[in-house]
Amino acid sequence: MTPFPTAAHLASWAGVCPGNHESTGKKAVRTPKGNPHIKSSLCETAWAASRTRNTYLSAKYWKLSSRRGKKKALVALAHKLLT
C-alpha cells in the first residue's frame, strides 16, 4: 500500500494544492501549510522551469501569471510538477 493513494493527497501533504474556502461571500484562497522543505524545493524548481525557453511549463507559467499574478502562478506550476 502506498502512503498517498492519489496525486491530490500528495499535493495536499506537500502544501501545494489549491484551497477554496468561502465565508460570507468572501473567498479566501490559500494553500495549506504542508511540508515546508518540499514546498520550497518545488517552488524553486517551478521558478527554474518558468525561466526556460519554449517549454510547456514556461508557457503555462506566463499564461497564468498574466491572469493571476506571479506568485500564484508559481504555486500552480509547483503543483503541476508534483502531480
Side-chain angles (χ1 to χ4, degrees):
M1 183 170 160
T2 61
F4 303 107
T6 64
H9 282 88
L10 176 61
S12 177
W13 175 78
V16 291
C17 66
N20 191 6
H21 308 286
E22 187 172 350
S23 175
T24 64
K26 294 183 179 181
K27 289 186 178 181
V29 180
R30 293 192 179 128
T31 58
K33 287 185 179 180
N35 188 325
H37 304 292
I38 292 179
K39 190 175 187 179
S40 63
S41 297
L42 281 170
C43 287
E44 286 286 332
T45 308
W47 180 247
S50 72
R51 307 303 287 172
T52 58
R53 291 177 179 249
N54 301 328
T55 61
Y56 168 76
L57 293 173
S58 176
K60 185 158 187 70
Y61 170 79
W62 289 108
K63 189 175 180 180
L64 284 171
S65 67
S66 65
R67 288 185 289 139
R68 298 288 183 199
K70 293 185 178 189
K71 290 186 179 181
K72 286 185 182 179
L74 198 66
V75 173
L77 200 63
H79 179 263
K80 186 67 138 174
L81 283 168
L82 186 62
T83 57

